[in-house]
Amino acid sequence: MANLNVEIPSLKLNDGTSIPLIGYGTGTAWYKSNADGGIDRTLVDAIKTAIKLGYHHLDGAEVYNTEPELGIAIKESKAPREKLFVTTKVITNIKDIPNAIDASLKKLQLDYVDLYLIHSPFFASSESDLQSAWAAMEKVKADGKAKSIGVSNYLDHHLTATMKTATVTPSINQIEYHPYLQHGGPDGPLLKYMKEHNIANSAYAPLTAVTKAKPGPCDGLYAELAEKYYVSEGEIALRWCIDQDIVAITTIKFANMVSSVFQLQCSCNNYPWGKKGKESLSATLCAKTPNTGFEIDENKEYAEMWMGDYPELPAKDLKTGEELGKIVDENKEQLLGKNCIEKFGGTLPFLPKILSIAKALPLQIHPDKELSERLHKEDPESFTDMNHKPEIAIALGPFEVFAGWKDTNDIQALFNDLPPLKKFLPEQHTPFTNETLKQICRRILTASDEEIAETQSALAKIPREKYGKQAYILDLLPRLQEQYSKEDPGNLIALLTMNFLQLTAGDAIYIPADAPHAYLSGDIVECMARSNNVLNTGFCPRAQRNSAELFTAALTFSPHNAEEVKLGTSKTDKSKNGKTSEYAPPMSEFNMLKTSLKEGEKETIRAIAGPSVLFATSGSGKLIADGQTHEIKEGYVFFVGQGVEVTHEAESGLQVYQAYAE
């Protein structure tokens, strides 16, 4: 089942009551043979989840022995009573219906039920038995203990006998109904009688052709329609009922009760390098999601909005409050798909973020898998997983960053030509190799605070022309010193050995594992493999720096010029209308789509064989997926399970990013 977060349509019964066309059943899979067997908390939790996901029609019966669970779930859900439609049935105590309804109401902890049914006609040995029971049902309705009354499993002759003395026509007849059991169809005696007397049809076991009767003649059609509309065969079976105004009662376990598309509630962290208050795009986008309680404090820095399932700052289902990681874990095959599970395990393999950067992030690398595994074993509190963390950053506006190594010749020129730097050169530095660069980094990182400060002061006094094309160093040096200090070795590593890039909206970079980088300013979309491991060595207090030996030992030396750092875009076969481009880093965990639409334009993203997280950075419109239509606007974030086609319709200029794995 997927389409649970949509508004379930209703049908008006012959007494004016409206009944939701899909009901959540508490029989069949939940049936208890022993009424004294204790409370089934699994059922209680399943009903509560069903209520959260939009199942407001709840179907029970005294013979199921699950009325106590239904009552507890209703109470614990705190759902307003008027929003629920509760059905129960009588058969065990059919000879004493007044006491039966009172006993059911006590178990349900309710003052009334919305629908009360005679569960079966087969208790009766005569027409008068049917008529007496129905008279008692009419009294239940008159006393206000049931808003509507009806029957179940009645055939046409049972209805005929009942109606001979009835003053109230049954509102509904709940019968087994599916493509392989249609009771003679519309012209058969049962359905014809029900139509003539305006008695609604309610179907139990509507999924039989899908779940119990395979192989069968409907198999091919169900499969074809499910593939066409990117839904399950069970959803096709339910739609067959709904389209005929048949109330469908279905019993499904929790693992199948999650929508494949749902809006997320995200959170921001407050690292000191973030932008303050409403200047932070991460905060303003986070605040756009309604009903979260998130309020921006103008005195706080807001650095990152996380949009994944990583436990440190997990996204949640906006409607239910469930953590994304828990939802994914309980519905792996539905949401991730077998291919993704086999490749990456049972978690979302990527972590998208929005970053708002006021000053330089720590100069850092993210360890590769081998080093991450070792560090996690040695210090699991600091290195919380065993994964690597290659990442991309996409500029949403002006973006400054130190990333990757400069061309070797440019680094060599600085250390050979500028006297204050010669002390960092190893004795053997000809030819100038990556090993030379590693030793330079180690010497800088292990130098004293005084030596670092003296070197920076000396560099600031060198004439601009001596720096050649790297004269920007003199402009950035005082800025970095102001943000951190003259004693910070990160100033020297970044300015002397790393590429400095100034990017504009849409430009992107790729940072492989073990490559140094430090974001300097701007607002960006960032996406990374699912990890939070980091080694810091600069642009942070000394106490927060990792071992210089560990840092330099882990370094790799690609990319080695500014152009190698940049990540371009390409056309994507995921787009149907040509309004989407793709960032495809050289890694397996994710790609990123960017859809840009003008007012009135439309784009469809083909179904992806893996999970996605999509989010709007500007504009507004509609998101249509999995049979649902959602409002989407700036700051809204959605999870999309595997195999779901997504359509965007722009009401104003709409820009949507979609991280996905397959």
Side-chain angles (χ1 to χ4, degrees), residues 337-346:
K338 290 183 179 180
N339 183 56
C340 191
I341 293 170
E342 290 173 359
K343 288 175 68 176
F344 306 114

Side-chain angles (χ1 to χ4, degrees), residues 538-559:
F539 300 155
C540 58
R542 181 175 288 277
Q544 296 177 15
R545 299 173 200 163
N546 295 99
S547 158
E549 292 297 326
L550 177 61
F551 184 91
T552 53
L555 289 173
T556 57
F557 294 93
S558 178

Side-chain angles (χ1 to χ4, degrees), residues 291-325:
N291 305 318
T292 65
F294 178 77
E295 295 183 2
I296 298 174
D297 184 336
E298 291 297 333
N299 296 313
K300 283 186 177 180
E301 292 89 3
Y302 295 94
E304 302 173 328
M305 179 173 75
W306 288 27
M307 298 175 282
D309 67 350
Y310 201 82
E312 182 174 318
L313 203 65
K316 300 177 181 179
D317 184 326
L318 177 62
K319 189 170 186 178
T320 69
E322 295 277 358
E323 289 189 1
L324 177 58

Side-chain angles (χ1 to χ4, degrees), residues 91 94 118-126 129-130 152-155 157-158 204:
I91 192 61
I94 190 67
I118 295 176
H119 207 152
S120 166
F122 304 116
F123 69 92
S125 57
S126 66
D129 288 343
L130 293 171
S152 179
N153 295 301
Y154 274 44
L155 301 178
H157 64 274
H158 300 123
Y204 67 82

